Amino acid sequence: MPGAGRRRAVKPGRSRSRRLPSLPTVAGLVALVVAGAGAITVGPQQSADSAIALSSQGRELSGTDAVGYTGGPRARALSRDSEREALQDAADAKLQKAAEEQAAERNAELKSLGKAAEARAGQIAKNQWHLPTEGYHLTARFGMAGGLWSSNHTGLDFAAPSGTPIFAVANGVITETGYAGSYGNRTVETLPDGTELWYAHQSAIGVQVGDQVIGGQQIGNVGSTGNTTGPHVHLEVRPGGGDPVDPYQALVFHGVTP
Ligand SMILES: [Zn+2]
């Protein structure tokens, strides 16, 4: 049986030689014609020859029948089948496309998540230092002498409105929090190399001893607790927990200029 598509491509009534009807149809018609003809014109001995001669006539008839056949119920059924197949193919293609689009979307999402994680991992690995607050101005430098301090100034003062966030300068762990005399509310953060960072005069402390913090993370708020004349964060840098060094130089050394 030829494919439905090929069959439909043939125009009815034309190219009869190319459109061969199915064998049962031919045989059936030949038998019918032979039976009819035999009964009228030929004797029993000639019936075989007549059948051959008449077979072409049978083919003619079956050809005619085949013309009607293409438009018949079966052909329509075949046509419906191929339409159904075409619709199914279209539906499959649509599903396939949707699945592909969904996969692409998911990939983009994962890529974006991966990039964010990568950026954070890079930030932690690089351990970029950060300024301890924002919207500040420097009021007292390291080593300055003044009536306010018993010795020379041991830190760097960032003056900012009370309540301004204080950020961890680098990655580290919180090793001390609480009120500390002239320092007021103070947080001590210890870096992996043993350096201590002191944040003093806070109005509020936002971390606890043992907290792991990342540079740039808020750890408290600017205040004027302890020995101060106005709200500011006093930053000290003490390598190995020993004597303080100039925080300005330490910040510049680590890539940030206050
Ligand atoms: Zn100070």
Side-chain angles (χ1 to χ4, degrees), residues 140 149 153 155-157 201 232-235:
W149 312 297
H153 191 219
L156 181 62
D157 290 350
H201 311 306
H232 73 279
V233 55
H234 167 102
L235 177 71

Side-chain angles (χ1 to χ4, degrees):
M1 199 62 191
R6 225 189 310 159
R7 195 172 182 89
R8 283 197 296 141
V10 178
K11 285 181 181 168
R14 297 186 63 188
S15 308
R16 198 167 54 211
S17 59
R18 279 198 281 133
R19 181 163 30 77
L20 293 171
S22 63
L23 272 173
T25 311
V26 175
L29 281 163
V30 168
L32 200 72
V33 169
V34 168
I40 298 160
T41 65
V42 294
Q45 282 86 9
Q46 288 174 293
S47 60
D49 285 345
S50 300
I52 292 160
L54 286 165
S55 67
S56 61
Q57 201 186 343
R59 208 167 273 136
E60 292 272 334
L61 286 169
S62 68
T64 306
D65 176 67
V67 172
Y69 189 77
T70 53
R74 190 163 174 198
R76 279 200 293 275
L78 282 170
S79 174
R80 275 201 300 277
D81 277 351
S82 50
E83 271 168 30
R84 206 175 298 128
E85 270 168 36
L87 283 171
Q88 188 60 51
D89 285 351
D92 287 349
K94 211 171 172 183
L95 278 173
Q96 171 93 8
K97 201 175 172 225
E100 277 168 9
E101 278 170 0
Q102 216 168 13
E105 224 169 83
R106 184 88 184 115
N107 278 344
E109 254 171 51
L110 286 172
K111 210 171 171 183
S112 158
L113 278 173
K115 274 198 179 141
E118 219 171 76
R120 186 166 165 80
Q123 204 176 20
I124 291 166
K126 195 163 46 161
N127 194 12
Q128 174 72 54
W129 278 33
H130 294 257
L131 291 169
T133 191
E134 57 195 0
Y136 63 87
H137 65 277
L138 300 176
T139 50
R141 303 251 178 178
F142 178 79
M144 278 173 74
L148 202 59
W149 312 297
S150 52
S151 60
N152 288 349
H153 191 219
T154 50
L156 181 62
D157 290 350
F158 297 77
S162 193
T164 304
I166 294 172
F167 307 114
V169 166
N171 302 347
V173 61
I174 304 302
T175 48
E176 204 182 321
T177 59
Y179 197 85
S182 59
Y183 287 100
N185 289 322
R186 182 188 63 175
T187 296
V188 176
E189 176 192 359
T190 301
L191 307 188
D193 70 357
T195 299
E196 285 183 5
L197 301 179
W198 293 9
Y199 309 84
H201 311 306
Q202 299 177 50
S203 61
I205 294 170
V207 286
Q208 292 180 330
V209 171
D211 284 354
Q212 295 279 346
V213 295
I214 288 170
Q217 175 184 335
Q218 186 176 347
I219 58 168
N221 298 84
V222 172
S224 53
T225 53
N227 195 3
T228 72
T229 54
H232 73 279
V233 55
H234 167 102
L235 177 71
E236 286 194 14
V237 178
R238 293 175 172 261
D243 290 338
V245 297
D246 186 352
Y248 188 96
Q249 296 301 328
L251 284 164
V252 169
F253 179 79
H254 286 98
V256 271
T257 302

